[in-house]
Amino acid sequence: EVHLVESGGGLVQPGGSLRLSCVTSGFIFSNFAMSWGRQAPGKGLEWVSGIDASGRLINYAESVKGRFTISRDDAKSTVYLQLNGLKTDDTAMYFCAKGSNRRVDGLDRGQGTQVTVSS
């Protein structure tokens, strides 16, 4: 059974940073692309960033490019998202998803970790 467990969210002031982690199990992590997505209150799913199985092909949504960094550690079956320069618009539930580096809809995903950016 596939399990994806996110952590690292919290309350941070604008301009602050957080590092999100997604620990996975139940599949051969190194064989799969992974993505991070988010959902703000009252809004739909938004893909944020993705990384392919090799770790070499990385994509970002325009809204986070230059501020967020995705990475993976295959030895730990974990994907990370470093969030820098946070804005109030980044407030959302963040989750990881298995199987694509360009979308999150329709994929196995975790329960998420809440990121709140507020002064």
Side-chain angles (χ1 to χ4, degrees), residues 10-26:
L11 173 63
V12 63
Q13 292 186 341
S17 298
L18 288 171
R19 189 193 194 204
L20 308 183
S21 300
C22 170
V23 178
T24 75
S25 62

Side-chain angles (χ1 to χ4, degrees), residues 56-75:
R56 290 190 294 268
L57 186 58
I58 291 174
N59 301 297
Y60 296 100
E62 286 298 321
S63 58
V64 307
K65 197 173 290 185
R67 300 187 297 121
F68 292 6
T69 303
I70 191 171
S71 61
R72 64 187 296 155
D73 185 337
D74 288 352

Side-chain angles (χ1 to χ4, degrees), residues 6 20 22 34-40 44-50 59 61 64 68 70 79-81 83 90-98 100-105 107-115:
E6 301 91 343
L20 308 183
C22 170
M34 299 292 296
S35 274
W36 283 92
R38 65 188 181 185
Q39 187 164 23
L45 292 175
E46 179 186 9
W47 171 81
V48 172
S49 180
N59 301 297
V64 307
F68 292 6
I70 191 171
V79 60
Y80 303 95
L81 189 68
L83 286 62
D90 295 319
T91 295
M93 182 71 74
Y94 284 72
F95 55 88
C96 61
K98 162 187 170 282
S100 174
N101 65 340
R102 289 189 173 274
R103 65 180 180 92
V104 291
D105 55 293
L107 303 180
D108 289 326
R109 64 178 191 255
Q111 293 296 311
T113 185
Q114 178 68 38
V115 171

